[in-house]
Every structure is written in structure tokens, then in C-alpha cells.
Amino acid sequence: MPSNSNRSKFPVPHALPSYWRKQVGPIDRHRSTPRLPSSADIVVVGAGYVGASLAYHLVEESARCGRKVPEIVVLEAREACSGATGRNGGHLKPDPLLRAASVLSTHGKEVAEHVASFEARQIGAIKALVKREDVDCDFEETRVVDVCLYKKGKEKIKADLERVVDADISTARDIGYSEDREAEQVSGVRGAKSCLTYDAARLWPYRLVTHLLEKAVSLGVNLQTYTPVTSVSPAATDAKDHRWLVTTPRSTIKTSIVIYATNGYTSALVPEMKDKIVPVKGIVARLVGKYAPRLTDSYMMRISDYEYDYMIPRPDGSVIVGGAKRDFFRNLNDWFDNSDDSSLIKGARRYFDGYMQRHFYGWEKSDVRTEDVWTGIMGYSNDGFPYVGPAPGRPGQYLCAGFSGHGMPQIFFSAKAIASMIVTGDTENVDLPVPYRISPARWSQPKEHVSLKLWREIVESEPVRATL
């Protein structure tokens, strides 16, 4: 089997620029102090959506509990929001069906409801945050048109929908369903076998994150960009005011609490996460054209068991499309256990050329073309759920990572749960679904990675497909 074991698991320099990062703010390379503090109450590793949400919630939760805001240092290896959040598709899209159906089988109705509603409620939370903080991030509520283009997928979706409806999972109540000719009419997609519609949102993710960071910094949080953490090690056994030494090329910070907001890079600092949170490389593009129809809804395109694209329209008429697995999925080294976002996956750009013309009625003669293509590193967990909570055997350390390319509707509340655990000391009574929590068994027991298992099944069962 292909192996990427010799690749660095740390962020690489000179990452490809993304569309979202073409206009960066003053916080992008911010350092709150010229030198690193020698100690802090809390060190957050990572300044993406997770790190920014943690800083925001730690301040908010401290104020809510009437406690002094702790000394918080946020360390980022590169620029602020330069990882997955600054490179994604801009989709705030909960999964109201498929994950709930899966959890219904493994954990029962109560947990399935929590998992589904946990994601759905984050649309309203971000909407309220954007309004309250006056965040300029192009936030829009929308409907997702979730299109399935293959028979096997249609049958599974229909069966799952019947199961979650029968179980009265709340998120299923607002799902629209159509199939065959009606699905083509509803979606405008050629060859649609079925179509779901449900609520979601879209936004400019970089602007949301940098606003949260700016707010945190204004309230005393110390942000240090271009400060990669190279190791976290135990302090001297007689240390009374700290447990951990957080080492960077600039200096070392003493602290009692470390939170890993490191997603795909987590195993570089937490070896126990090797094979549990794996860096996965993805591709996103921006399509533009002067003479093209305008999309109003966001989309999911389910092409096969492993091919699924997503897209959002932008206010300027351009379309963001992510996915393109057709042309690189079989080449495992190109995407799995790959933390290099400084180059594109070979041939990926060709996938987006003519994308709208291939799939959508009315776009056949449009002049839509590929304007930008970029890549990003996601953190895919071995069981499909993020690792959120205290790290077993590492007192004072917490993880909030492994969102498997689906972080936008999970991260804000996951970070809030971590903040509540730290400020109140209660790790149990927080709003966090059971499958997200880090049990000793989940931490220590080996489990074949779901992405690797799917790859093996596809490679062994399908003939090689020609690429366009």
C-alpha cells in the first residue's frame, strides 16, 4: 500500500494562495507582543476557525461565569486563517440526513437527534454572531440542492430519509425530496436521480475568522503568527504553576493548559493521533463568466460513493466548486496523509473546466471558465467524527480537531464546549454529541481509517476510469 510516512506533518511554507485570502486583513501577520510571553494560562495552537472560536468562547465564558479572563496565547505557524478554513468552499452546510441515519444505527435516536441538531443550530448561532458583531463576511442563509447522480446513492438516500423521518429526527422535517424527472426540474442538473433540499448558509470564511481573532485580541488575547509549535513536552516534575512547555523557534512558553486547534496537523504534536487524524488534501476552484445564468441556491453533487462536489454562488456571480475526486482518488499518495498545500494535485484543474456546462441545463453555451484553483489540508478522523475534549494521559491538554472536511457546521459549538470545560471544570455537562467525545477506548484502540477503507473497496471493485 502507498505510504506517506516520510512526509512532514507540519504546515509547509509558501502555501498556494486561495481566493478567500486574496484580500487579507491587518490581523493576518499580527503579533500582539514583540516577544513571546514566558508563560500563559492557556496556549491555543492554531489560528483558524477552531483557534479563533476557542479564543472567542474562552473570553465569553469567563465573563458569563464572572471570572477573570485567563491569559491566552494563540500560536499560528503561518498567517492567521491560512489553513483549511481559509481554503474551503465557504459552505456552512449541516448534514440533516446521512450522518443522523448512520448514528441512528450505532447510537440510537437520542444521540442521532443531538448530532443532527448540533450542526443545524450552528446556522442560527453564526447568523446571530454576524449580526451582533457586525461581521462583514457575506453571510447568507440559503437552501442546499443536494443532487444524487447515481442509482445506488439514490436508493440509500431514500431509505435513510424514511428511517430518520420514522424516528422523528427534527432536521428531517424540513427536507424536500424529489426523484428522476422532477429531480432534474428542481435542481436544473442533467441526469439527477434524486434531489434533497434543506436549509444552510454560506459566507466568506476568512473574514469571519479574522473578525473573531480581532475581537479576541482587542480583549487581551495574545496572537502570535509565524510562530510554529515544534513540540509540547512535560515541565519539570517540581513545577507548581505549569505542567507543559510549548516550544517554538522563538522561545518556550510555560502553561498548564494546551488546546490543539490543529486539525490535519494534529499528529505532528500528538503522536497518539497518528492514523486517527490524517491530513487529507483537497481541491477548490472559482469559476467566472460574464454571460452565465446565476445560481441562487448552494449545491451538493453526489456522483458516486466517493465522488461528491459542493458549490456556492458568490454575490459577484462567480461560483466556488470543491471536490474533483474523480481525477485523483485512486492515487492515494496524492491526497491521503498529505499535508503539502504548496502545490495542486496533478491534473486537478482540468476537472473544473466546463464543469457548469457539463452538469447544468441552460449553461451549455455560457462562457464560464476556471479562474482560480487552490488546495487545502483537512483533518480526516478515522471514524468520521471530530476528537473534542480532554486528551487521556495528558492532563491539561485538549483536542478540538479532526473535522473531516465538514468543520463549518461543527466547529463553533465544539470550541464552545471546550471553553466551557476549561472555565467551569465540568467536562461532562456540555453541549457536545457523544460520538465527538474522546473516551479512553476511542483514544487508544486501533481502528481502520474510514477513508482508507473506502479507498481500498473502490480500488478493488472498480476498473480504472479514464479521465477527461
Side-chain angles (χ1 to χ4, degrees), residues 68 88 147-148 164 252 295 297 329 349 359 361 382 388 395 448 462 465 468:
K68 178 183 176 183
N88 67 24
V147 182
C148 184
V164 297
T252 296
L295 287 182
D297 299 317
F329 182 80
R349 185 184 182 94
H359 288 296
Y361 287 115
N382 58 338
V388 182
E448 183 178 21
E462 283 191 356
R465 297 171 58 187
L468 298 180

Side-chain angles (χ1 to χ4, degrees), residues 103-104 107-117 167 169 434:
V103 175
L104 192 60
H107 292 76
K109 177 181 176 179
E110 183 177 351
V111 177
E113 171 63 34
H114 195 186
V115 166
S117 63
I169 302 300
V434 168

Side-chain angles (χ1 to χ4, degrees), residues 166-408:
D166 287 346
D168 196 28
I169 302 300
S170 61
T171 55
R173 299 168 193 161
D174 191 43
I175 296 176
Y177 177 78
S178 56
E179 57 185 33
D180 302 328
R181 187 175 182 84
E182 184 185 0
E184 282 196 315
Q185 293 173 343
V186 169
S187 66
V189 173
R190 189 179 294 105
K193 301 297 184 186
S194 69
C195 177
L196 304 171
T197 57
Y198 47 86
D199 290 335
R202 53 190 180 234
L203 69 161
W204 192 311
Y206 174 85
R207 289 184 175 178
L208 173 65
V209 170
T210 53
H211 181 97
L212 291 176
L213 289 172
E214 288 168 357
K215 176 70 178 292
V217 167
S218 73
L219 295 173
V221 172
N222 188 323
L223 171 64
Q224 297 286 334
T225 62
Y226 285 100
T227 308
V229 174
T230 55
S231 69
V232 178
S233 56
T237 55
D238 59 348
K240 297 180 180 179
D241 59 343
H242 57 270
R243 295 190 184 103
W244 303 103
L245 301 177
V246 180
T247 301
T248 81
R250 296 173 60 196
S251 66
T252 296
I253 303 177
K254 299 180 294 184
T255 186
S256 288
I257 296 176
V258 179
I259 314 175
Y260 297 98
T262 41
N263 212 26
Y265 306 105
T266 302
S267 66
L269 297 173
V270 187
E272 296 94 325
M273 286 293 102
K274 183 181 183 297
D275 301 326
K276 291 186 176 67
I277 299 179
V278 176
V280 168
K281 189 170 182 175
I283 298 290
V284 188
R286 177 172 173 259
L287 312 181
V288 302
K290 291 183 179 180
Y291 308 105
R294 290 185 70 93
L295 287 182
T296 55
D297 299 317
S298 298
Y299 275 76
M300 282 290 295
M301 304 281 277
R302 302 183 188 275
I303 303 167
S304 76
D305 285 348
Y306 68 91
E307 294 176 90
Y308 44 89
D309 300 333
Y310 53 88
M311 68 186 73
I312 68 165
R314 294 283 299 130
D316 63 3
S318 63
V319 180
I320 306 295
V321 183
K325 285 187 177 181
R326 179 198 67 191
D327 289 353
F328 63 81
F329 182 80
R330 286 180 168 275
N331 301 319
L332 189 67
N333 282 338
D334 284 349
W335 60 276
F336 188 80
D337 203 12
N338 188 332
S339 57
D340 182 2
D341 56 7
S342 66
S343 63
L344 292 176
I345 297 174
K346 184 179 179 180
R349 185 184 182 94
R350 293 196 304 270
Y351 180 83
F352 300 106
D353 293 337
Y355 186 91
M356 304 302 292
Q357 293 90 331
R358 289 198 304 273
H359 288 296
F360 284 82
Y361 287 115
W363 292 69
E364 295 87 350
K365 296 182 179 180
S366 72
D367 65 339
V368 173
R369 67 188 186 282
T370 308
E371 178 81 0
D372 304 283
V373 183
W374 62 95
T375 189
I377 306 303
M378 300 166 283
Y380 271 52
S381 74
N382 58 338
D383 58 8
F385 293 102
Y387 282 77
V388 182
R394 291 171 169 256
Q397 293 194 21
Y398 297 79
L399 267 69
C400 193
F403 291 93
S404 300
H406 190 59
M408 292 302 293

Side-chain angles (χ1 to χ4, degrees), residues 17 33 98 127 180 218 315 336 412-413 427:
T33 53
L98 300 180
K127 178 183 178 181
D180 302 328
S218 73
F336 188 80
F412 194 65
F413 282 175
T427 61

